[in-house]
Amino acid sequence: INITQEEDHKFIVCLSYKISRWKNLAESLMLTGTDIECIQEDYKCDKTSEMAYQMLCQWATHQLCNSSVSTLCKSLHTCAIMIELTDGIKRDCKMPCHIQAVELDDKFMLAISREIKVVWKTIGRLLGHTWIDIQSLERDHYTDTSESIAYEMLLSWKKKKGKDATFGDFYVAVYLVSKLESTAVFGALRSVRNRLKLLQSKCNI
């Protein structure tokens, strides 16, 4: 697992939402007691999924060649954490090809920011933002509202990806988060589905 690779990073983000006993998994993955305590202290105000995400990133970064999906599966089995790993998640990450080339416009990004403000970090990660990118956004906009940071995250993504910042990618990110935190993005999912219908009608799909 290489968290600098977009698909692997998406996998880690999705997996973190499925792990409630992250400390048991951390021990099985050979993280030290100090590592675990630091994660608990640094992210004590966050959800369990955030702690699990940070733990998995730390494991993948430190273990390098040893951070494989098979190693992770063995540890999950050892901890009796039952989860569908690669097939379902990676299938859901595929981009709808009929809207692949449609760019995300600024007006839509501004409107949708209100709907994703609670989960902007998760959506940002699924769109390819790294841990450093997220930290930079939080630091640079620490006085702003969550809605404003969500918008800045989308602007940053569009600037980084250019024409590759498509509605299709964003749709998949919101869809994935709806599977992980359904109530948090109900409005966003409804908005992107309405937008999808509009795009489909314009393209005569």
Side-chain angles (χ1 to χ4, degrees):
I1 295 176
N2 183 350
I3 60 172
T4 63
Q5 298 297 316
E6 196 165 323
E7 286 303 310
D8 283 358
H9 190 220
K10 285 180 182 178
F11 175 65
I12 289 292
V13 173
C14 293
L15 181 59
S16 65
Y17 275 85
K18 303 292 185 179
I19 299 171
S20 57
R21 294 158 56 187
W22 69 270
K23 286 186 284 185
N24 298 67
L25 181 59
E27 291 171 356
S28 182
L29 291 171
M30 305 302 290
L31 268 72
T32 67
T34 302
D35 292 332
I36 294 170
E37 287 176 9
C38 286
I39 292 169
Q40 280 187 294
E41 180 61 28
D42 292 345
Y43 301 96
K44 61 186 176 183
C45 296
D46 292 303
K47 295 180 179 180
T48 301
S49 58
E50 181 66 22
M51 293 185 187
Y53 168 78
Q54 297 296 337
M55 179 274 293
L56 289 169
C57 284
Q58 189 166 324
W59 165 72
T61 302
H62 290 177
Q63 293 297 313
L64 297 175
C65 295
N66 294 323
S67 56
S68 65
V69 172
S70 60
T71 302
L72 189 54
C73 286
K74 288 177 183 176
S75 294
L76 287 167
H77 180 71
T78 301
C79 296
I81 299 172
M82 303 306 293
I83 179 176
E84 292 179 6
L85 282 171
T86 53
D87 292 343
I89 291 174
K90 292 206 171 184
R91 182 179 61 248
D92 289 344
C93 284
K94 288 184 179 178
M95 186 189 307
C97 39
H98 57 281
I99 50 174
Q100 182 174 357
V102 179
E103 291 184 51
L104 207 66
D105 61 82
D106 291 346
K107 184 178 179 180
F108 179 74
M109 288 195 299
L110 184 60
I112 204 67
S113 297
R114 292 192 295 271
E115 307 283 5
I116 64 168
K117 62 184 181 181
V118 177
V119 289
W120 72 266
K121 285 194 279 189
T122 302
I123 287 180
R125 289 164 181 158
L126 290 170
L127 291 173
H129 283 303
T130 64
W131 180 84
I132 295 174
D133 294 334
I134 298 295
Q135 292 288 97
S136 296
L137 282 164
E138 287 186 303
R139 183 182 63 249
D140 295 344
H141 303 281
Y142 70 96
T143 59
D144 294 344
T145 62
S146 296
E147 181 180 329
S148 297
I149 301 176
Y151 179 63
E152 291 297 331
M153 177 274 292
L154 291 174
L155 286 177
S156 175
W157 171 61
K158 189 172 181 180
K159 183 178 180 181
K160 183 194 298 186
K161 293 283 189 176
K163 291 185 177 180
D164 291 331
T166 64
F167 175 76
D169 277 345
F170 182 72
Y171 179 88
V172 172
V174 173
Y175 168 76
L176 275 171
V177 176
S178 76
K179 295 293 185 182
L180 304 170
E181 286 195 55
S182 57
T183 56
V185 290
F186 178 78
L189 186 61
R190 181 179 55 198
S191 296
V192 293
R193 281 179 172 165
N194 289 339
R195 181 74 168 181
L196 176 59
K197 289 178 183 177
L198 179 63
L199 290 169
Q200 287 174 329
S201 64
K202 286 182 177 180
C203 297
N204 295 316
I205 296 173

